[in-house]
């Protein structure tokens, strides 16, 4: 989108060398000391050009362009054009837009401009409608891209970002040329650039998972800021809780974060898999990078089918459809460990609605291996007492050798299955998905968990990367993290940090998204390359055998009260125990 303001005429022109003014055309005498100071400050800057707005004579609006003369690095040219107000925005609205670029909240803008918060909200709503944007981040990117920042900024205690136009003002002030308040204070008491803000949606129904997510984000944030941030710009995070089983609730969380002005959105999962596409559309409307850990093939396929509208949405783990092949590989590996007394029996509890973890091909493969399958239906993402009783009764009736229990966040169902196993003389193998990765599971399950096998599409590796992260986490928070969400959110923030550092302007979401598609990042949960059509990581061994660009579906077994990786083989710490 291009600003509707067009240049009427050139009002002034200045050519400057290190020795002084080379040429000056200023019939209306509008080249003030500050404007001359901006030109001199630019000469000491390494930028190629800078564009901003300023007030001209008789309430006119001027576009100021400063650039280097072609082939003459020692010469700077400044041109002032009188323009029509872009999109009809008033001077006050341009001031508000400039302060949005500085990362200020509505109350902070109100305090700086000495107006009410309601007036600020009205100005922002008008700016959004006029420019056809939907979020503050989009407005910031638009203002930076089209040079709509009005200088000088209002006086106040805030921190402008590390952009060329603001660096010019800082240098101008440090040289003693900036105008001061009557008490001698500078317009920019603080020199740190505005932080980049990450918005996180965390589950309201599972405080342990919410704590793990936010703690993983916090460690990555602290480590990045300790290294100087993104070109001097620190990062921070804001969070909102939501019902992960209901996309309507998550949309409310989305609006809460959007009102705070975020530069990226992350969330762990949305268990409303049937409607996850509509939520991804709402998230993409923020026009910022979106990274989530929903183990949803539907979500991946939705992005693949809608690249234009969902190009900013990335998945940090593979889809649920990969769980089936992983489970059948496990069956192959334990084939000789299960006695064949008239046929091996496999009970498959169905996955939550909208997920598929054991499809027709997986069932065919299991049948070829000699397994007789009993399917046990399931109607809800989280089972109630009656449904748990019905599932346990079905297990008792079929007396399986192996139970596939894709419980995910339904820890109560998994506990019911484990209690049934404890009292069953056959001691069947129970294979679950994700649930045991939640922090504190071993303490809550106690002896019931011994021998349990479980898989996760994104889990902490047992190598030095994963072990080091778990040690740092424990030292920082005084407790052990789970095996999925803390580490995957840590990886997510580091992916964003890497992309922000790779681009010239981290507020340029399009450039950041393009960088996310190109980078290969080795995190504590494996290697990530998100450049495929669905913008999800490659999975080992389903997509590739190259571990340097893929994330392994890890299979754990609880042995001696500890989670031990038993597959895939490059990362195995132990062998399966019957």
């Amino acid at each position: 989108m291009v600003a509707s303001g067009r240049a009427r005429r050139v009002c002034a022109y200045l050519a400057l060398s290190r020795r002084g003014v080379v040429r000056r055309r200023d019939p209306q005498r509008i080249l003030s000391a500050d404007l001359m100071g901006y030109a001199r400050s630019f000469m000491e800057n390494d930028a190629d050009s800078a564009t901003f707005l300023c007030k001209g004579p008789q309430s006119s609006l001027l576009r100021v362009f400063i650039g280097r003369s072609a082939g003459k690095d020692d010469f700077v040219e400044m041109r002032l054009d009188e323009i029509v107000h872009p999109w009809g925005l008033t001077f006050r609205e341009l001031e508000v837009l400039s302060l949005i670029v500085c990362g200020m909240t509505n109350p902070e803008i109100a305090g700086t401009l000495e107006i009410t918060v309601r007036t600020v909200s009205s100005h922002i709503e008008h700016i959004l409608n006029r420019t056809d944007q939907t979020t503050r981040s989009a407005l910031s990117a638009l203002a930076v891209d089209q040079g709509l920042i009005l200088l000088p900024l209002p006086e106040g205690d805030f921190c402008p970002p590390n952009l060329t136009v603001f660096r010019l003002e800082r240098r101008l002030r440090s040289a003693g040329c900036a105008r001061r308040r009557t008490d001698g204070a500078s317009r920019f008491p603080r020199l740190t650039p505005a932080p980049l803000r990450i918005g996180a949606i965390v589950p309201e129904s599972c405080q342990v998972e919410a704590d793990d997510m936010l703690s993983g984000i916090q460690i990555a944030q602290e480590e990045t800021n300790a290294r100087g941030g993104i070109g001097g710009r620190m990062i921070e995070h804001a969070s909102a809780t939501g019902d992960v089983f209901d996309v309507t609730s998550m949309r409310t969380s989305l609006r809460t974060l959007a009102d705070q002005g975020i530069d990226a959105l992350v969330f762990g999962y949305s268990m409303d898999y049937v409607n996850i596409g509509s939520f991804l559309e709402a998230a993409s409307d923020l026009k910022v990078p979106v990274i989530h850990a929903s183990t949803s093939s539907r979500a991946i396929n939705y992005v693949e089918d809608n690249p234009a509208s969902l190009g900013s949405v990335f998945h940090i783990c593979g889809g649920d459809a990969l769980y089936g092949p992983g489970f059948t590989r496990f069956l192959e590996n334990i084939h000789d460990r299960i006695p064949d007394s008239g046929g091996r029996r496999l009970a498959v509890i169905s996955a939550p609605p909208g997920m598929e973890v054991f499809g027709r091909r997986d069932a065919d493969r299991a049948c070829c291996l000699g397994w007789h399958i009993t399917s046990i239906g399931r109607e809800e993402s989280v089972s109630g007492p009656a449904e748990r009783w019905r599932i346990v009764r079905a297990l008792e009736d079929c007396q399986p050798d192996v139970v596939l229990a894709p419980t995910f966040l339904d820890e109560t169902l998994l506990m019911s299955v484990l209690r049934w196993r404890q009292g069953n003389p056959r001691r069947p193998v129970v294979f679950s998905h994700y649930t045991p990765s939640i922090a504190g599971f071993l303490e809550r399950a106690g002896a019931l968990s011994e021998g349990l096998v479980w898989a996760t599409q994104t889990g902490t590796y047992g190598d030095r990367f994963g072990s080091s992260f778990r040690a740092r986490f424990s030292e920082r928070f005084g407790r052990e993290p789970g095996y999925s969400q803390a580490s995957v959110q840590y990886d997510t923030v580091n992916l964003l940090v890497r992309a922000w550092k790779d681009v010239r302007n981290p507020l340029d979401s399009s450039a950041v998204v393009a960088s996310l598609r190109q980078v290969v990042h080795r995190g504590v949960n494996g290697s990530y390359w998100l450049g495929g059509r669905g913008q999800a990581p490659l999975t080992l061994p389903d997509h590739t055998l190259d571990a340097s660009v893929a994330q392994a579906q890890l299979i754990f077994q609880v042995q001696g009260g500890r989670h031990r990786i038993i597959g895939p083989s490059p990362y195995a710490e132990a062998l399966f125990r019957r």
Side-chain angles (χ1 to χ4, degrees), residues 311-369:
S312 62
V313 177
F314 297 86
H315 316 266
I316 203 77
C317 66
D320 49 280
L322 297 175
Y323 275 129
F327 176 66
T328 56
R329 285 193 294 270
F330 170 75
L331 290 180
E332 292 176 6
N333 292 334
I334 69 168
H335 186 76
D336 297 333
R337 308 290 300 275
I338 305 295
D340 186 359
S341 54
R344 299 178 178 90
R345 283 170 281 183
L346 168 64
V348 178
I349 302 172
S350 64
M355 300 186 71
E356 182 180 289
V357 301
F358 192 74
R360 181 176 296 277
R361 289 186 179 181
D362 306 315
D364 291 343
R365 180 57 184 158
C367 289
C368 290
L369 293 171

Side-chain angles (χ1 to χ4, degrees), residues 445-460:
L448 289 175
S449 64
E450 189 64 26
L452 171 66
V453 182
W454 61 279
T456 178
Q457 279 294 93
T458 180
T460 312

Side-chain angles (χ1 to χ4, degrees), residues 247 250-251 267 269-283 292-300 302 310 315 354:
V247 297
M250 293 192 69
R251 282 180 183 160
F267 61 95
Y269 36 68
S270 169
M271 296 299 293
D272 190 355
Y273 286 120
V274 174
N275 301 306
I276 194 170
S278 63
F279 177 72
L280 295 182
E281 289 180 347
H292 71 95
S294 289
T295 312
S296 172
S297 297
R298 284 192 179 201
I300 295 171
Y302 201 77
L310 299 179
H315 316 266

Side-chain angles (χ1 to χ4, degrees), residues 76-127:
V76 167
E77 294 180 323
M78 172 185 280
R79 171 174 166 160
L80 279 66
D81 298 303
E82 184 181 354
I83 64 170
V84 177
H85 284 244
W87 289 288
L89 299 179
T90 64
F91 280 115
R92 176 64 84 188
E93 287 166 345
L94 289 171
E95 281 183 318
V96 171
L97 179 60
S98 301
L99 295 178
I100 289 175
V101 177
C102 292
M104 298 181 70
T105 63
N106 288 11
E108 289 171 338
I109 294 175
T112 300
L113 298 180
E114 298 181 350
I115 57 179
T116 66
V117 175
R118 176 176 292 183
T119 301
V120 174
S121 299
S122 298
H123 284 319
I124 293 176
E125 183 177 0
H126 185 256
I127 298 169

Side-chain angles (χ1 to χ4, degrees), residues 469-498:
F469 167 77
R470 293 184 63 81
R472 297 196 307 277
F473 187 102
S474 298
E475 181 180 358
R476 174 66 177 82
F477 299 105
R479 64 178 180 87
E480 288 194 353
Y483 276 81
S484 182
Q485 281 303 319
S487 47
V488 78
Q489 298 304 327
Y490 175 83
D491 285 349
T492 297
V493 173
N494 283 322
L495 259 172
L496 281 167
V497 167
R498 186 163 179 178

